[in-house]
Every structure is written in C-alpha cells, then in structure tokens.
Amino acid sequence: MTTPLPLVFDAPRRGMPPRHLADLDSQERKAVVEELGLPKFRADQIARQYYGRLVADPEQMTDLPEAMRAKVAEALFPTLLTEIRHIECDDGTTRKSLWRANDGTLLESVLMRYPDRNTLCISSQAGCGMACPFCATGQGGLNRNLSTAEIVDQVRAAAAALRDGEVAGGPGRLSNIVFMGMGEPLANYKRVVNAVRRITSPSPEGFGISQRSVTVSTVGLAPAIRKLADEDMSVRLAVSLHTPDDELRDTLVPVNNRWPVAEVLDAARYYADKSGRRVSIEYALIRDINDHGWRADMLGKKLHKALGPLVHVNLIPLNPTPGSKWDASPKPVQDEFVRRVQAQGVTCTVRDTRGQEIAAACGQLAAEG
Ligand code: SAH
C-alpha cells in the first residue's frame, strides 16, 4: 500500500543541478550510454569506477579509451560539489566539510571516526523548512532540495578520503551513514529514497553499505514514514520527538501542528512492524523546557504503549546555537530523566555528541561560507 503524499514532499526540479550518473538507475544509465553511441557494457564499467573505485573524474577512468572520456564527463559527471574547506576537532577524528554546489548553494557533511565504525552525517537539503527553534539549520530556512547525486556524492567523497588515508587514524572504510545533516530527508522523499538505494546496493549499482547501517532521521512526517516503511528497506528510522506532549511539541517542532505526537508514534509503530527494527527516538534535552520529571514519565509511558520493545530513546544534550538562549540540562537532571524513562521499560541512553567546538554537532549546521 502506498499513501499519496501531499505536494510539499516533491518540489519541482527548479534549480536542480545537471544530471549526474548517481541520479540514474541501471536502465537509465544504459540508455544514456547508448545515446552517446557507446556500447552498453560501458555503462556498468563507468558505474564500477564511481561506486567501486570512488572515482568521479572520467579522466582518471583508465579503462575507458581516452577519446571517450570527455564525452562521458560531459554527459554524466558534472562537478556537483566542490569542497570549500574542512575543519576538524577531536584530534582530527571529527571533520566537517563545507561544500559548494554548482549553483553556489552551500551545504555541510560531518565525518566521525569511532573505534568500531566510521560514520558520515549527510545533508538531504540545503537549509531546512521545518523551522525548529532550537536548530541552527531550521533558523536559516530552506534553500533547496539536494539532488540524488548531490546526496550520494557526499558519501563518495568521504569514502574516498577515508580510503586514501586523508583522515586522522589511518586508511579506513566508511561503514555508517546518518541522514542527520542539513534538511528534512522525508521532505525530499524521492531523491532521498533513491540515494539510499545507491548507498546500499552493491557495486555497480551502489556503494554496498549495509542497509542496517543507514539511519534516516525525521521530524515526524507521518505519511512519509509509512511510505518509507512500504519501500521495504531495512534502514533505521530515527524520529525527532523532543517532547511527548502536543502543547510543547507544537512550538519545538512546528510540523507537529499537522501530524501530532499520536500520529507520529502510530507511523513509527508501522515502520517498526514492517522493518522489524527498533525505532530511535531523538530527544534534545533543553534546560527547563522539556527536561521535567513528569515529561520523562509521560515519554516512557507513551513510547512503551505505542512501540513496546521496538523503541530506543537517544537523549542529546542540547548543543548551543547562535541567537538562542536555551542550553543543555544540568547533569543530575539528565540522569534523572534517563532513570525515569527506563523505569517505564524503555531503553534510554545519552548520545556522545561530537563536534560542538567546530559547530558540527546536531543542530549546528548552518553552512556559513
Ligand atoms: N530534520 C531531521 C534531520 C536532522 S537530524 C530531523 O529533525 O530529524 C538532526 C538531529 O539533531 C535531530 O534529531 C534534531 O532534532 C537534533 N537537533 C537539532 N538541533 C539540535 C541542537 N541544538 N542540539 C541537539 N540536537 C539538535
């Protein structure tokens, strides 16, 4: 069953970049290669270069005849993202990159190395239209949707940098992707789903990162959560809830006025049932705003009722954003909050947040050139 989505989910292609290989599925890419007058087998060969060897410049595709490379470059490899700069912290194991798209649009991605995994936090939109008052991206408004290839190329660039030993800690492999950078992924639905397919399919269709290692995070667009469940991909779903009551959530996550808490949790349950996976509930803990003991009780109760064991709460101590007077809750309040959620039979942990000092942490991405 697929639910028709309101128009807001698929804005027209206005201002989108030129077509790139990563926008295309295997049939489309074969069609383009044939239009160029090349034999069909070249399509997979080129895709293997991009997804398998992480090469985005046909001049470096040495298995293509030289005469062919310029033609392929023009038709399939416009330069989509140019790195303007990157900044690092945590001894170089957290690295934020600022990218310029070819129309001048700015966006950011953040790479984080951990002992057991390498995670890239990617953007799905330049800016964000959801207007959550505690998030720097939301304060800047939506610039535009990113194309599938602009999303996918963030992944290629990071995977190549890791492989080539450009990131502290020695050569490594990109293992996890989180759609927790700029933007609301489910408001750019089709392009995000296509990007997930490219990220998770094996070469030559994609990078072959396990679906289980990909997380899509949403403010809670309930119909889109259901639609995603029906795609039958086993990616992890994260829902940014931030409070269990509609009264406060209407102000913290304005889209709650359209899809209130009960509807979001119903959709999350549907997702958990279809995917067989636990849903993560994201909760930025804000001093004196949403950190009360009674809210922890209510959160635990509502989640237990809606999702049973198929839920996990991630508390994120609020990261400061420019112009906001809000800050994180004191440690004892945070500890008590965790205890009370757990007392309702719901697992709850505090996220180790990275990148605050380089404005790379959750809610701090503003892509200021
Ligand atoms: N729009 C999606 C994807 C962004 S993910 C979503 O909201 O889920 C970014 C995560 O960081 C979300 O859970 C968001 O609520 C959270 N966040 C935003 N601002 C924050 C801040 N100032 N401190 C901590 N977390 C924040």
Side-chain angles (χ1 to χ4, degrees):
M1 184 197 77
T2 50
T3 329
L5 295 177
L7 270 178
V8 59
F9 291 114
D10 276 300
R13 209 184 153 80
R14 178 174 54 85
M16 282 285 146
R19 174 190 69 195
H20 183 281
L21 177 92
D23 289 313
L24 309 177
D25 65 22
S26 98
Q27 269 189 340
E28 292 165 337
R29 131 181 128 220
K30 287 192 173 103
V32 172
V33 162
E34 282 192 310
E35 272 166 38
L36 292 178
L38 306 178
K40 249 205 225 160
F41 79 91
R42 295 287 182 197
D44 281 358
Q45 187 182 17
I46 293 165
R48 241 175 243 116
Q49 285 280 358
Y50 182 81
Y51 294 111
R53 296 194 190 156
L54 310 173
V55 173
D57 174 8
E59 286 308 322
Q60 293 166 27
M61 298 181 184
T62 46
D63 55 357
L64 284 188
E66 263 187 74
M68 211 179 268
R69 294 181 196 163
K71 208 160 149 181
V72 169
E74 198 193 332
L76 287 168
F77 292 96
T79 301
L80 292 180
L81 301 178
T82 306
E83 192 175 46
I84 299 183
R85 62 165 180 267
H86 58 254
I87 37 175
E88 299 175 341
C89 65
D90 306 320
D91 296 324
T93 59
T94 300
R95 165 165 149 150
K96 176 171 86 166
S97 298
L98 175 66
W99 302 97
R100 190 180 53 229
N102 68 9
D103 63 351
T105 297
L106 299 176
L107 58 125
E108 291 177 326
S109 60
V110 184
L111 181 58
M112 291 158 285
R113 296 199 83 163
Y114 298 92
D116 61 333
R117 65 189 191 281
N118 295 310
T119 301
L120 181 69
C121 177
I122 57 176
S123 294
S124 58
Q125 300 181 308
C128 184
M130 298 297 130
C132 304
F134 54 91
C135 175
T137 313
Q139 291 314 288
L142 177 64
N143 186 342
R144 69 164 168 83
N145 282 323
L146 299 185
S147 68
T148 296
E150 284 173 323
I151 299 169
V152 170
D153 211 47
Q154 295 170 57
V155 176
R156 184 201 57 79
L162 268 173
R163 178 199 59 192
D164 298 341
E166 289 168 18
V167 186
R173 194 182 65 86
L174 184 59
S175 58
N176 293 66
I177 303 294
V178 296
F179 281 83
M180 293 189 180
M182 305 177 86
E184 166 49 42
L186 298 187
N188 186 15
Y189 186 86
K190 258 201 225 142
R191 297 181 192 95
V192 164
V193 166
N194 283 337
V196 171
R197 293 194 200 290
R198 310 278 187 275
I199 290 167
T200 59
S201 303
S203 174
E205 306 309 329
F207 301 116
I209 293 174
S210 150
Q211 286 185 354
R212 304 184 69 81
S213 308
V214 174
T215 301
V216 173
S217 181
T218 177
V219 287
L221 308 183
I225 291 175
R226 290 175 179 273
K227 194 169 152 86
L228 187 67
D230 291 333
E231 307 277 353
D232 288 325
M233 301 187 299
S234 54
V235 297
R236 181 185 292 278
L237 179 72
V239 175
S240 298
L241 201 65
H242 304 308
T243 188
D245 58 301
D246 285 319
E247 194 184 349
L248 177 59
R249 197 166 190 270
D250 280 348
T251 65
L252 289 183
V253 185
V255 78
N256 193 69
N257 287 282
R258 178 97 182 258
W259 294 291
V261 173
E263 275 186 50
V264 173
L265 295 184
D266 264 8
R269 174 65 197 231
Y270 182 72
Y271 192 91
D273 283 341
K274 283 228 71 172
S275 65
R277 302 202 62 188
R278 279 189 184 192
V279 170
S280 296
I281 299 292
E282 311 296 300
Y283 199 111
L285 210 56
I286 315 174
R287 182 203 298 262
D288 297 336
I289 300 287
N290 64 354
D291 62 355
H292 315 90
W294 66 265
R295 280 206 160 87
D297 299 342
M298 186 198 261
L299 178 70
K301 283 198 181 101
K302 283 197 179 180
L303 292 180
H304 190 68
K305 180 148 180 271
L307 286 138
L310 294 171
V311 67
H312 177 94
V313 175
N314 253 318
L315 287 184
I316 318 167
L318 187 83
N319 294 305
T321 57
S324 165
K325 50 189 184 313
W326 290 341
D327 61 359
S329 305
K331 184 76 170 37
V333 174
Q334 178 181 300
D335 291 345
E336 173 69 0
F337 198 94
V338 172
R339 196 192 62 72
R340 288 173 84 145
V341 173
Q342 285 176 340
Q344 301 298 329
V346 171
T347 63
C348 177
T349 50
V350 177
R351 184 188 288 170
D352 148 44
T353 154
R354 287 258 195 129
Q356 235 193 61
E357 56 274 47
I358 56 171
C362 302
Q364 294 187 316
L365 299 183
E368 276 154 354

Short mmCIF file of all heavy atoms in Angstrom, two decimals, residues 14 24 30 74 85 101 139 146 152 171 182 197 217 220 223-224 248 265-266 298 317 322 337:
data_model
loop_
_atom_site.label_atom_id
_atom_site.label_comp_id
_atom_site.label_asym_id
_atom_site.label_seq_id
_atom_site.Cartn_x
_atom_site.Cartn_y
_atom_site.Cartn_z
N ARG A 14 13.15 22.66 -9.96
CA ARG A 14 13.66 24.03 -10.03
C ARG A 14 15.03 24.14 -9.38
O ARG A 14 15.26 23.72 -8.26
CB ARG A 14 12.68 24.95 -9.31
CG ARG A 14 13.05 26.40 -9.25
CD ARG A 14 11.89 27.18 -8.62
NE ARG A 14 11.50 26.65 -7.33
CZ ARG A 14 12.09 26.98 -6.17
NH1 ARG A 14 13.07 27.82 -6.14
NH2 ARG A 14 11.67 26.46 -5.02
N LEU A 24 20.92 8.28 -11.75
CA LEU A 24 20.30 7.31 -12.65
C LEU A 24 20.31 5.89 -12.09
O LEU A 24 21.26 5.49 -11.42
CB LEU A 24 21.05 7.30 -13.99
CG LEU A 24 21.28 8.67 -14.64
CD1 LEU A 24 22.11 8.50 -15.91
CD2 LEU A 24 19.95 9.34 -14.95
N LYS A 30 22.19 2.95 -18.76
CA LYS A 30 22.46 2.26 -20.03
C LYS A 30 21.90 3.06 -21.20
O LYS A 30 22.54 3.18 -22.25
CB LYS A 30 21.86 0.86 -20.01
CG LYS A 30 22.66 -0.04 -19.09
CD LYS A 30 22.31 -1.52 -19.22
CE LYS A 30 23.28 -2.33 -18.39
NZ LYS A 30 22.72 -2.80 -17.12
N GLU A 74 31.11 14.96 -19.86
CA GLU A 74 30.09 15.97 -20.14
C GLU A 74 28.69 15.43 -19.88
O GLU A 74 27.84 16.12 -19.32
CB GLU A 74 30.22 16.42 -21.59
CG GLU A 74 29.51 17.74 -21.80
CD GLU A 74 29.34 18.08 -23.27
OE1 GLU A 74 30.17 17.64 -24.08
OE2 GLU A 74 28.34 18.77 -23.57
N ARG A 85 36.16 24.07 2.26
CA ARG A 85 37.13 23.85 3.33
C ARG A 85 36.61 22.74 4.24
O ARG A 85 35.44 22.39 4.20
CB ARG A 85 37.35 25.12 4.16
CG ARG A 85 36.12 25.60 4.87
CD ARG A 85 36.43 26.63 5.97
NE ARG A 85 35.18 27.04 6.59
CZ ARG A 85 34.47 28.10 6.20
NH1 ARG A 85 34.89 28.86 5.22
NH2 ARG A 85 33.35 28.39 6.82
N ALA A 101 27.72 23.71 -4.10
CA ALA A 101 27.12 23.07 -5.28
C ALA A 101 27.37 23.98 -6.48
O ALA A 101 27.78 25.13 -6.32
CB ALA A 101 25.64 22.86 -5.05
N GLN A 139 16.66 27.59 11.57
CA GLN A 139 16.56 29.05 11.68
C GLN A 139 16.87 29.73 10.35
O GLN A 139 16.39 30.82 10.08
CB GLN A 139 17.51 29.57 12.77
CG GLN A 139 17.08 29.18 14.17
CD GLN A 139 15.60 29.41 14.40
OE1 GLN A 139 15.15 30.54 14.50
NE2 GLN A 139 14.82 28.34 14.44
N LEU A 146 18.38 18.88 -2.27
CA LEU A 146 19.55 18.37 -2.97
C LEU A 146 19.10 17.29 -3.94
O LEU A 146 18.11 16.59 -3.68
CB LEU A 146 20.57 17.81 -1.98
CG LEU A 146 21.12 18.82 -0.95
CD1 LEU A 146 22.23 18.17 -0.12
CD2 LEU A 146 21.65 20.08 -1.63
N VAL A 152 24.41 11.54 -2.81
CA VAL A 152 25.28 10.38 -2.98
C VAL A 152 26.76 10.80 -3.04
O VAL A 152 27.64 10.12 -2.51
CB VAL A 152 24.88 9.62 -4.27
CG1 VAL A 152 25.90 8.56 -4.63
CG2 VAL A 152 23.49 9.00 -4.08
N PRO A 171 44.14 4.80 6.98
CA PRO A 171 43.13 4.42 5.99
C PRO A 171 42.00 3.63 6.62
O PRO A 171 42.22 2.84 7.54
CB PRO A 171 43.92 3.55 5.00
CG PRO A 171 45.34 3.96 5.16
CD PRO A 171 45.49 4.36 6.61
N MET A 182 22.04 18.67 7.26
CA MET A 182 21.04 19.70 7.00
C MET A 182 19.83 19.09 6.31
O MET A 182 19.95 18.24 5.44
CB MET A 182 21.63 20.78 6.09
CG MET A 182 22.91 21.39 6.63
SD MET A 182 23.62 22.58 5.48
CE MET A 182 22.72 24.03 5.98
N ARG A 197 19.07 3.87 -1.97
CA ARG A 197 19.30 2.69 -2.83
C ARG A 197 20.72 2.68 -3.37
O ARG A 197 21.38 1.64 -3.42
CB ARG A 197 18.32 2.68 -4.00
CG ARG A 197 16.88 2.45 -3.56
CD ARG A 197 16.00 2.10 -4.76
NE ARG A 197 14.59 2.34 -4.46
CZ ARG A 197 13.87 1.62 -3.62
NH1 ARG A 197 14.41 0.59 -2.99
NH2 ARG A 197 12.60 1.92 -3.39
N SER A 217 16.63 10.15 9.60
CA SER A 217 16.09 10.86 10.76
C SER A 217 15.05 11.87 10.29
O SER A 217 15.29 12.63 9.35
CB SER A 217 17.23 11.57 11.49
OG SER A 217 16.75 12.24 12.64
N GLY A 220 9.13 13.78 11.76
CA GLY A 220 7.87 13.06 12.00
C GLY A 220 6.80 13.35 10.97
O GLY A 220 5.64 13.61 11.33
N PRO A 223 2.79 10.51 7.09
CA PRO A 223 2.51 9.75 5.86
C PRO A 223 3.79 9.29 5.15
O PRO A 223 3.83 8.21 4.57
CB PRO A 223 1.75 10.75 4.97
CG PRO A 223 1.39 11.90 5.84
CD PRO A 223 2.28 11.88 7.04
N ALA A 224 4.83 10.11 5.23
CA ALA A 224 6.09 9.75 4.57
C ALA A 224 6.79 8.61 5.31
O ALA A 224 7.46 7.78 4.70
CB ALA A 224 6.99 10.97 4.44
N LEU A 248 3.67 21.45 23.93
CA LEU A 248 5.04 21.94 23.78
C LEU A 248 5.60 21.59 22.40
O LEU A 248 6.30 22.37 21.77
CB LEU A 248 5.94 21.35 24.88
CG LEU A 248 7.42 21.73 24.79
CD1 LEU A 248 7.62 23.24 24.84
CD2 LEU A 248 8.22 21.05 25.91
N LEU A 265 3.71 8.56 16.41
CA LEU A 265 4.04 7.29 17.05
C LEU A 265 3.34 6.11 16.37
O LEU A 265 3.91 5.03 16.26
CB LEU A 265 3.71 7.34 18.55
CG LEU A 265 4.55 8.34 19.36
CD1 LEU A 265 4.22 8.24 20.85
CD2 LEU A 265 6.05 8.13 19.14
N ASP A 266 2.13 6.34 15.86
CA ASP A 266 1.45 5.30 15.08
C ASP A 266 2.25 4.94 13.84
O ASP A 266 2.42 3.76 13.51
CB ASP A 266 0.09 5.83 14.57
CG ASP A 266 -1.04 5.41 15.49
OD1 ASP A 266 -0.75 4.84 16.57
OD2 ASP A 266 -2.21 5.67 15.11
N MET A 298 5.92 10.61 31.16
CA MET A 298 4.96 10.58 30.07
C MET A 298 5.59 10.02 28.79
O MET A 298 4.97 9.23 28.06
CB MET A 298 4.43 12.00 29.80
CG MET A 298 3.32 12.04 28.77
SD MET A 298 3.09 13.71 28.12
CE MET A 298 1.72 14.26 29.07
N PRO A 317 22.16 16.05 24.71
CA PRO A 317 22.24 17.31 25.45
C PRO A 317 22.24 18.46 24.43
O PRO A 317 22.99 18.40 23.46
CB PRO A 317 23.60 17.21 26.15
CG PRO A 317 23.96 15.75 26.12
CD PRO A 317 23.31 15.17 24.91
N PRO A 322 23.54 29.88 17.60
CA PRO A 322 23.62 31.34 17.67
C PRO A 322 22.24 31.95 17.91
O PRO A 322 21.25 31.53 17.30
CB PRO A 322 24.14 31.73 16.28
CG PRO A 322 24.71 30.50 15.69
CD PRO A 322 24.01 29.35 16.31
N PHE A 337 16.25 12.08 34.25
CA PHE A 337 15.40 11.89 33.07
C PHE A 337 15.58 10.48 32.51
O PHE A 337 14.62 9.76 32.27
CB PHE A 337 15.74 12.95 32.01
CG PHE A 337 14.67 13.14 30.97
CD1 PHE A 337 13.70 14.12 31.11
CD2 PHE A 337 14.61 12.32 29.84
CE1 PHE A 337 12.69 14.30 30.16
CE2 PHE A 337 13.61 12.48 28.88
CZ PHE A 337 12.66 13.48 29.04
#
